[in-house]
Amino acid sequence: MSRNSNEWKERPPFPQTHYVNTEIYTSEQIFREEQAKIFGKCWIIACHESELPGAYDFRTFNHPSGAPLIVIRGEDGTVRSFYNICPHRGNLLLYDPVGNAKRITCIFHAWSFNAKGDCIDISRAKQGYQDRFECKDAGLREVKTEIGYGGFVWVNVDDDSCSLKEYIGDALGLLEANLDQPLEVFHYHKAVVNTNYKLWHDTNSEFYHDYMHYFNRITGMIQPGYFDRKYTGYPNGHASVGSMSIKYDAYEGSAQRGVGWPGLAPGGWVLIDIFPGMTYNLRTSVLRMDTAIPLGPDKVVIEFRGLGLKSDTPEQRAERIRDHNTIWGPFGRNLHEDLLGVHGQGLAMRERSDSHWVLHGREENQTIHDEVGMRHFYAEWGHRMGRSASVPSTEASPAT
Ligand code: FES
Ligand SMILES: [Fe+2]
């Protein structure tokens, strides 16, 4: 039966854990709080070590807490991160997304820094500062950086955070045997979508939407084992979905995949969501890493990296690239269907003036169409935010 305006606002007949208020996807104020309480505290993937192969290679990264960062490999091979902000008068230091800089010189007044963040030159220092200030008194703000779990470069802007190992815990255990040799990014794709970053992560946390993917219905949903896949939640909001074997040859025109992955059964698939917006997706021959980097409550950059083994022969690499780009990457259909889903949610929520509810209420014994993955995410989100995702601001008691 259709709903009138009052009925439309009625809460779903579920416990509060089984729905959220759409305000969490649209509110500027909630986004600002997320920047401080979530992105300002969690470990976030900035890039992959293979994207900085040589000394002085750098990438710039717009950290979702709001700080622009430089990630740079030093002469000693160590990858470090810094605020991309000059300590003199706050100018942006590096503008290019990627490059090589033995010396980082600010264009404004020509102060220079090395790849360890030390200030190495202050123009006309003596004349202006006499003995009151010199290079040793200036330096870039360093950000905690660790490389791990497949060679990704993780950063944390909170100096007091736990270690990356503590943050991940056992969540990546299912992939442990698959990530023990050096990897290499062979493809990078970026989508800017007018939607909330959590909606993308939600899509990676529920598979009920396989109804949207013709390919997945044929290669996965109608194959034995699909409905046996179980969600496992881990501390800090991470979750894994157990492996299954995908029948790629069930899709008309698909050839059997010729290249596999160490430790993964042929046609295997392991997916692990890392809070608050990263997903490891290992399918047969390719690891795809999604990172959702919000630009605001209704705009997100989603980075997609396709990775193979550093030791690949040219033939193996060519096959991985073909598999990634034609099935799971930007020239496949799956990724676009997912993007259409979250784009549509963004459109509908932005246009909707009254807050409403989104259901996370499916229970199927924690198997693949159970929405427990999203519930697990929002339990952690609520814990970190000090508020429930299902209680609108108008009803929430003031934060203490
Ligand atoms: S702002 Fe960078 S040198 Fe002045
Ligand atoms: Fe999908």
Side-chain angles (χ1 to χ4, degrees):
M1 217 193 315
S2 66
R3 321 282 285 164
N4 66 28
S5 79
N6 280 339
E7 290 164 343
W8 176 247
K9 288 176 189 154
E10 270 172 26
R11 285 171 185 275
F14 295 140
Q16 274 192 6
T17 47
H18 286 48
Y19 59 89
V20 299
N21 190 269
T22 55
E23 181 193 41
I24 65 162
Y25 300 121
T26 59
S27 159
E28 183 74 35
Q29 149 99 29
I30 290 175
F31 175 65
R32 295 287 167 215
E33 269 181 59
E34 288 177 309
Q35 284 191 299
K37 296 177 181 172
I38 292 178
F39 294 105
K41 303 280 180 198
C42 292
W43 285 94
I44 306 286
I45 289 174
C47 60
H48 188 262
E49 62 178 350
S50 65
E51 294 170 298
L52 309 161
Y56 313 118
D57 285 345
F58 73 81
R59 291 184 75 87
T60 51
F61 177 60
N62 284 323
H63 192 278
S65 69
L69 300 187
I70 298 166
V71 184
I72 186 164
R73 190 183 289 276
E75 195 177 28
D76 57 357
T78 304
V79 174
R80 300 178 178 85
S81 305
F82 307 96
Y83 278 12
N84 187 8
I85 298 175
C86 179
H88 175 222
R89 284 186 52 216
N91 189 36
L92 197 72
L93 288 166
L94 293 173
Y95 286 72
D96 291 337
V98 52
N100 183 278
K102 187 166 187 181
R103 182 185 177 103
I104 300 168
T105 301
C106 179
I107 59 169
F108 216 160
H109 314 90
W111 290 25
S112 292
F113 306 88
N114 65 18
K116 288 184 172 170
D118 307 322
C119 179
I120 51 173
D121 191 27
I122 294 177
S123 47
R124 302 190 74 245
K126 272 275 180 225
Q127 292 90 332
Y129 297 112
Q130 299 81 42
D131 295 325
R132 296 173 297 128
F133 192 88
E134 53 189 304
C135 277
K136 69 172 174 47
D137 301 313
L140 303 185
R141 190 318 206 164
E142 188 157 5
V143 170
K144 285 170 81 169
T145 304
E146 290 192 37
I147 294 183
Y149 303 101
F152 290 94
V153 179
W154 299 76
V155 292
N156 196 319
V157 296
D158 177 13
D159 284 353
D160 299 323
S161 74
C162 64
S163 68
L164 175 63
K165 197 170 182 320
E166 289 168 302
Y167 183 69
I168 298 295
D170 296 329
L172 285 164
L174 266 184
L175 282 175
E176 204 168 356
N178 313 116
L179 298 180
D180 63 356
Q181 53 176 297
L183 308 183
E184 198 163 59
V185 173
F186 60 70
H187 193 268
Y188 173 87
H189 173 65
K190 179 165 94 170
V192 180
V193 191
N194 292 328
T195 198
N196 186 273
Y197 78 92
K198 295 188 290 300
L199 292 165
W200 180 260
H201 201 66
D202 290 353
T203 300
N204 273 334
S205 307
E206 61 92 355
F207 290 89
Y208 187 36
H209 81 271
D210 270 344
Y211 279 101
M212 181 164 67
H213 300 309
Y214 171 74
F215 189 89
N216 290 17
R217 289 208 305 277
I218 301 303
T219 61
M221 208 192 289
I222 64 171
Q223 302 301 329
Y226 176 87
F227 285 101
D228 298 337
R229 297 185 72 184
K230 281 240 177 195
Y231 275 99
T232 307
Y234 299 91
N236 295 324
H238 317 313
S240 68
V241 189
S243 187
M244 79 169 283
S245 187
I246 302 294
K247 295 283 291 179
Y248 289 103
D249 50 354
Y251 181 63
E252 204 182 326
S254 281
Q256 254 309 355
R257 313 257 73 76
V259 177
W261 192 278
L264 190 71
W269 178 24
V270 180
L271 183 138
I272 301 180
D273 288 315
I274 301 296
F275 187 90
M278 296 155 282
T279 301
Y280 284 77
N281 212 332
L282 178 61
R283 288 182 278 209
T284 300
S285 57
V286 174
L287 174 66
R288 193 181 97 191
M289 165 58 69
D290 297 3
T291 42
I293 311 290
L295 302 176
D298 55 4
K299 197 180 269 287
V300 60
V301 174
I302 313 168
E303 297 184 305
F304 303 95
R305 286 177 167 86
L307 295 104
L309 304 180
K310 197 167 179 194
S311 61
D312 281 343
T313 63
E315 293 74 27
Q316 288 170 325
R317 181 58 61 86
E319 173 115 17
R320 292 193 208 282
I321 292 172
R322 189 166 55 244
D323 288 352
H324 176 71
N325 288 359
T326 58
I327 305 174
W328 308 300
F331 302 110
R333 55 185 288 165
N334 192 302
L335 190 151
H336 301 285
E337 289 165 346
D338 288 325
L339 289 172
L340 268 175
V342 298
H343 172 72
Q345 286 177 302
L347 273 179
M349 288 180 198
R350 203 168 52 250
E351 298 303 324
R352 194 155 58 204
S353 54
D354 55 341
S355 68
H356 183 56
W357 316 101
V358 171
L359 305 185
H360 294 166
R362 293 183 63 85
E363 292 184 2
E364 288 192 63
N365 199 24
Q366 311 214 346
T367 54
I368 190 151
H369 285 189
D370 193 315
E371 289 169 341
V372 64
M374 290 191 290
R375 294 194 291 272
H376 184 67
F377 176 94
Y378 286 101
E380 178 67 16
W381 186 92
H383 171 68
R384 288 182 177 267
M385 292 287 282
R387 60 180 295 154
S388 162
S390 59
V391 177
S393 302
T394 46
E395 294 173 25
S397 49
T400 49

